[in-house]
Amino acid sequence: MPLKLYNTLTREREVFAPLDERNVRLYVCGPTVYDFAHIGNARPLIVFDVLYRLLREKYGADHVTYVRNITDVDDKINARAAERGITIRQLTEETNRVFQQDVAALGCLPPSVQPRATEHIAEMIAIIERLIARGHAYAADGHVLFDVPSMPDYGALSRRPLDDMIAGARVEVAPYKKGEMDFVLWKPSKEGEPGWDSPWGFGRPGWHIECSAMSHKHLGEVFDIHGGGIDLVFPHHENEIAQTRCAFGHNIMAKVWMHNGFLQVEGEKMSKSLGNFITIHDLLHSDKFGGKAWRGEVLRLAMLRAHYRQPIDWTVKALDEAEKTLSRWYGILRAHGVTADSAREAPLRAAFVEALCDDLNIPRAMADLHAMAGKAEPREEDSQTAKAEAEKLARAAGLLGLLEGDPAAWAHKSPELKVEAAEVEKLVAERLAARKAKNFAESDRLRDLLAGMGVKLKDGKDKATGEPTTEWEAAG
């Protein structure tokens, strides 16, 4: 089944054909370790982990290389370390340690390589030297800058109007710049700031050159997929493309550019000024959102409910629904004695794989999981068929990084789920409307949600009108 991915560079969904099926290469921009990662940062971590899993499934685990970098030299790091009165190394080590714990709790597989920027200074200097030699960069006042006009098709990724790109470049206004859009590749370090010796004096790299150096070192001059959040398209990814292409003389840096959509919290943009800035660590270990700490798997499922390219609203209600769904699904596995390990050889449903291969259409794949869960409900008649469906559920969910825990442990940790009559009535009415509209995917999703709340449904038809009806009662 062909894998189709939306390419930001071409603005089209394209059939993915790797440069080398024996080594499919994926690069994703990782964190700048000056503070704990916020929930918006979790979206690309989860989205591209699913893509990594799918590529491993399609091409073999030994034939996919996934690089996710760590930026550990940056002005924000310098400022935060000074603010806290600790060394830069202390800050980056502490923040990276927490990041690794948080991302593991979200169920993300470790990348093949996690390069750190400070370990690739020599590679950055080498690329900058190439750019100068090829007429694409110049040294000025201890700085080295990329000469944007030297690249005629600069801006092809973001397709921004010239005025917008100039406005973005003016963040760094300086008299030594030849052109308004030229950006820094190397800059001098002041006393107390981290720095390295270079042909242009003691200094440190600009942000964009870091990813060009790390991707080149571990994936080559041209590779298959580059991913990140939509906020990185300009200027970061645009500048990465410029540096890498001009240094090595290729028409592309990566064949496919993928970007996930923005995240907001309870309908508002996340910001510290609004008091809704939430870190992954907070969600996992405090009661700051929804009055309790949440399991990482709950966060993961809630994040996967929308298509990766669409905006997503992070809400307590979504977390509640995700928790109830997982409780329901783990209950099914527990009833049949199924685990992720025991289900590894179960077949994957064609409809499920087709959904994932359609530009990671995870919501459609999730509807198929709900259908499997419905067929896997424990029942006396044909229990072997139900168990086989439970194995398919576990196998498919594993491709999304779900249901990989111990079903028994989930039961012991799960809080009691209480039935609120008003909420149940509302959900039953929504499901009935979905049934009448023949929206069976939504009907199945709501059925599973209600079952996770401990609600039994009895569907029927009105004898007089023939219209669908639903009765409900609390289980047990």
Side-chain angles (χ1 to χ4, degrees):
M1 190 173 295
L3 171 60
K4 294 182 179 180
L5 299 173
Y6 182 83
N7 189 348
T8 307
L9 187 61
T10 62
R11 304 298 196 269
E12 292 180 355
R13 288 167 68 255
E14 301 170 351
V15 174
F16 175 66
L19 294 163
D20 179 359
E21 290 194 1
R22 296 166 300 177
N23 184 20
V24 183
R25 289 162 286 169
L26 166 67
Y27 185 92
V28 176
C29 290
T32 299
V33 285
Y34 74 100
D35 200 352
F36 294 172
H38 58 70
I39 189 59
N41 300 138
R43 196 172 193 194
L45 295 172
I46 293 170
V47 165
F48 291 106
D49 179 70
V50 172
L51 177 61
Y52 180 39
R53 290 168 182 265
L54 181 60
L55 293 172
R56 285 161 55 98
E57 179 72 26
K58 190 172 180 65
Y59 297 102
D62 295 334
H63 300 293
V64 182
T65 303
Y66 175 23
V67 178
R68 188 183 68 216
N69 75 292
I70 300 291
T71 295
D72 58 351
V73 54
D74 184 84
D75 289 345
K76 291 179 180 178
I77 294 172
N78 300 344
R80 183 59 56 86
E83 177 186 307
R84 292 183 53 187
I86 60 176
T87 67
I88 288 166
R89 187 70 178 180
Q90 284 176 313
L91 175 66
T92 57
E93 288 299 317
E94 172 194 322
T95 309
N96 184 50
R97 176 179 54 78
V98 172
F99 171 77
Q100 299 299 336
Q101 292 170 352
D102 289 348
V103 76
L106 293 175
C108 297
L109 298 174
S112 312
V113 188
Q114 286 198 84
R116 296 176 69 132
T118 53
E119 297 169 353
H120 294 74
I121 301 298
E123 288 81 3
M124 296 177 208
I125 290 174
I127 291 177
I128 294 171
E129 289 179 320
R130 288 180 67 99
L131 289 168
I132 292 174
R134 295 170 68 93
H136 292 291
Y138 58 93
D141 196 17
H143 296 71
V144 182
L145 296 103
F146 184 87
D147 184 8
V148 170
S150 73
M151 182 181 181
D153 57 346
Y154 178 85
L157 180 70
S158 60
R159 301 188 187 182
R160 286 192 171 200
L162 180 61
D163 288 346
D164 285 358
M165 290 195 288
I166 290 174
R170 282 181 182 149
V171 171
E172 195 156 1
V173 177
Y176 47 76
K177 292 172 66 172
K178 289 182 181 179
E180 293 180 287
M181 293 194 298
D182 296 353
F183 57 88
V184 171
L185 302 172
W186 189 267
K187 54 188 171 184
S189 292
K190 300 173 185 176
E191 185 177 348
E193 292 180 334
W196 293 262
D197 290 325
S198 80
W200 317 285
F202 186 73
R204 62 192 191 279
W207 174 33
H208 314 301
I209 196 67
E210 297 176 3
C211 284
S212 284
M214 288 184 279
S215 63
H216 171 247
K217 171 73 176 291
H218 299 285
L219 299 177
E221 295 177 6
V222 180
F223 51 94
D224 294 296
I225 302 170
H226 195 311
I230 193 70
D231 57 310
L232 297 181
V233 172
F234 185 86
H236 186 49
H237 288 169
E238 196 74 79
N239 292 350
E240 273 190 72
I241 290 173
Q243 296 160 164
T244 300
R245 281 185 52 196
C246 291
F248 300 107
H250 299 291
N251 291 328
I252 59 171
M253 174 185 179
K255 286 187 67 176
V256 180
W257 287 81
M258 296 177 65
H259 296 92
N260 61 270
F262 286 114
L263 176 143
Q264 59 182 15
V265 176
E266 296 287 1
E268 293 185 304
K269 182 179 179 180
M270 183 170 58
S271 71
K272 290 183 178 178
S273 62
L274 292 174
N276 65 353
F277 186 87
I278 311 163
T279 69
I280 303 169
H281 201 70
D282 285 339
L283 288 163
L284 292 170
H285 301 288
S286 78
D287 61 357
K288 292 182 180 179
F289 195 71
K292 65 178 180 180
W294 302 89
R295 298 179 183 86
E297 192 169 359
V298 170
L299 306 184
R300 187 181 182 96
L301 179 55
M303 192 68 80
L304 293 175
R305 74 185 190 280
H307 192 280
Y308 79 92
R309 287 194 286 115
Q310 299 302 314
I312 190 170
D313 192 15
W314 192 254
T315 65
V316 173
K317 180 181 179 182
L319 294 177
D320 280 332
E321 289 191 1
E323 185 171 64
K324 290 167 184 174
T325 296
L326 286 168
S327 180
R328 161 103 155 77
W329 289 352
Y330 270 116
I332 290 171
L333 300 191
R334 197 163 54 246
H336 291 294
V338 171
T339 65
D341 285 337
S342 70
R344 291 200 188 282
E345 301 303 317
L348 287 168
R349 281 168 50 104
F352 178 82
V353 176
E354 182 180 350
L356 287 187
C357 287
D358 181 18
D359 191 32
L360 297 187
N361 193 332
I362 298 172
R364 202 172 95 205
M366 205 69 71
D368 205 52
L369 289 182
H370 284 290
M372 286 182 246
K375 293 178 181 178
E377 275 287 358
R379 52 184 180 271
E380 291 184 12
E381 70 281 7
D382 207 7
S383 60
Q384 285 304 112
T385 299
K387 181 177 181 179
E389 290 295 329
E391 289 172 342
K392 290 179 185 177
L393 171 65
R395 171 79 167 90
L399 205 49
L400 298 179
L402 300 169
L403 300 188
E404 295 186 315
D406 179 359
W410 179 275
H412 295 154
K413 294 179 183 176
S414 291
E416 286 188 19
L417 301 175
K418 298 179 180 179
V419 177
E420 298 289 344
E423 182 183 1
V424 172
E425 289 287 358
K426 178 175 176 293
L427 292 172
V428 169
E430 289 177 5
R431 179 173 176 272
L432 190 57
R435 287 180 62 208
K436 290 179 179 179
K438 300 189 184 304
N439 185 348
F440 300 117
E442 177 65 5
S443 172
D444 290 347
R445 185 188 73 81
L446 291 167
R447 177 198 60 205
D448 288 350
L449 177 60
L450 286 160
M453 296 168 64
V455 176
K456 286 185 177 180
L457 299 177
K458 184 178 181 181
D459 292 329
K461 286 187 178 181
D462 186 292
K463 291 182 179 179
T465 65
E467 289 289 308
T469 62
T470 299
E471 298 177 356
W472 69 271
E473 63 179 13

